[in-house]
């Protein structure tokens, strides 16, 4: 190695380590996010309730006391992806959000670009048995300051099974989230009507 002034050398080393570490963390996160083997999108379509959220975003910490269950419809899009449209109660009104998930190679893996923030996220169906529950994971943000992980528990009914809740909690803990970052959303009869 060529000799360099000590200060410069130390800085270069730090940058190098930061870079390597950064690359390692990204690779590890990508590789660690599992996807439901043999995922079949057609069996995933239809109505779901979002019954649990877990995230290290400050948004969830601030809002968790006022959030309630939402109703979602999963429909296919022309590009082979998913249109996930959710309806939920916010400030005493029903609000609807559409997430257009573009296919990302492997079945069950998608890419989502937020029209509002311009950030891009990887969304995976980590596990589902189609008839009862689905665990979704949003991670790996690229773009302005949206660096968080979000796990969601989707359920075909408003009462997720104990097993499904346990799977969700285990996933959240495996992501390094603490129990105060895991929220089971209370059922509501507001804004739950079929939104198609
Ligand atoms: C899905 O899981 C539930 C229990 O969590 C079970 O009752 C149901 O039979 C499962 N469905 C399939 C298709 O495996
Ligand atoms: C949330 O967790 C992910 C994955 O562990 C991490 O990359 C990210 O920096 C965290 N974000 C915040 C805001 O803590
Ligand atoms: C997504 O689904 C919603 C609700 O069914 C619908 O209103 C909207 O037009 C769909 N958007 C696209 C781009 O498919």
């Amino acid at each position: 190695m060529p000799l360099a002034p000590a200060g410069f050398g130390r800085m270069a080393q730090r940058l190098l380590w930061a870079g390597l570490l950064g690359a390692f963390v990204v690779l590890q996160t990508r590789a660690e996010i599992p996807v439901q083997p043999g995922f079949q999108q057609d069996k995933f379509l239809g109505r779901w309730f979002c019954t649990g959220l877990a995230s290290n975003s400050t948004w969830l910490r601030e809002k968790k006391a006022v959030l309630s269950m939402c109703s979602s419809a999963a429909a296919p899009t022309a590009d082979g992806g998913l249109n996930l449209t959710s309806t939920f109660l916010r400030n005493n009104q029903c609000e609807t959000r559409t997430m257009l998930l573009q296919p990302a190679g492997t079945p069950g893996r998608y890419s989502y670009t937020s029209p509002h923030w311009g950030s891009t996220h990887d969304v995976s169906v980590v596990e589902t048995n189609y008839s009862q529950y689905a665990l979704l994971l949003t991670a790996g943000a690229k773009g302005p300051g949206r660096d968080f992980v979000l796990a969601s528990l989707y359920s075909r009914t408003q009462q997720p099974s104990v097993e499904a809740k346990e799977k969700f909690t285990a996933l959240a803990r495996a992501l390094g989230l603490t129990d105060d970052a895991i929220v089971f959303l209370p059922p509501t009869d507001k804004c739950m009507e079929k939104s198609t």
Side-chain angles (χ1 to χ4, degrees):
M1 252 181 105
L3 283 170
F8 177 80
R10 212 174 299 135
M11 189 177 87
Q13 205 173 33
R14 243 183 246 156
L15 287 175
L16 179 68
W17 274 113
L20 284 178
L21 228 56
F24 177 69
V25 168
V26 169
L27 286 175
Q28 205 189 30
T29 312
R30 290 271 155 102
E32 268 178 4
I33 296 178
V35 65
Q36 171 63 46
F39 178 73
Q40 292 169 275
Q41 183 176 282
D42 55 331
K43 289 170 75 180
F44 183 79
L45 302 179
R47 196 178 200 212
W48 289 98
F49 294 96
C50 29
T51 57
L53 293 173
S55 178
N56 60 359
S57 70
T58 46
W59 174 84
L60 186 63
R61 203 158 300 155
E62 283 164 8
K63 290 280 187 276
K64 67 177 182 182
V66 299
L67 294 173
S68 55
M69 218 167 263
C70 78
S71 168
S72 297
T77 54
D79 65 0
L82 270 183
N83 173 344
L84 199 58
T85 294
S86 305
T87 306
F88 51 89
L89 184 70
R90 173 78 52 87
N91 301 326
N92 259 336
Q93 287 184 320
C94 295
E95 281 194 29
T96 296
R97 289 279 154 78
T98 292
M99 270 178 54
L100 294 175
L101 305 179
Q102 295 170 299
T106 314
R109 287 197 196 280
Y110 301 92
S111 172
Y112 170 69
T113 301
S114 159
H116 185 69
W117 300 98
S119 51
T120 298
H121 308 266
D122 301 319
V123 180
S124 285
V125 181
V126 173
E127 192 180 319
T128 184
N129 81 352
Y130 306 102
S131 65
Q132 267 238 328
Y133 72 94
L135 304 175
L136 268 70
L137 188 60
T138 302
K142 286 191 284 287
R146 301 269 94 194
D147 190 22
F148 60 88
V149 287
L150 171 69
S152 339
L153 172 63
Y154 283 82
S155 174
R156 289 293 190 187
T157 68
Q158 288 202 49
Q159 288 85 33
S161 67
V162 173
E163 295 96 308
K165 286 168 111 175
E166 281 171 359
K167 283 173 189 289
F168 176 66
T169 304
L171 171 67
R173 289 198 183 130
L175 291 165
L177 298 172
T178 47
D179 285 357
D180 67 328
I182 305 172
V183 182
F184 290 101
L185 303 170
T188 172
D189 53 1
K190 301 207 178 82
C191 312
M192 290 292 114
E193 62 276 6
K194 210 169 171 126
S195 57
T196 37

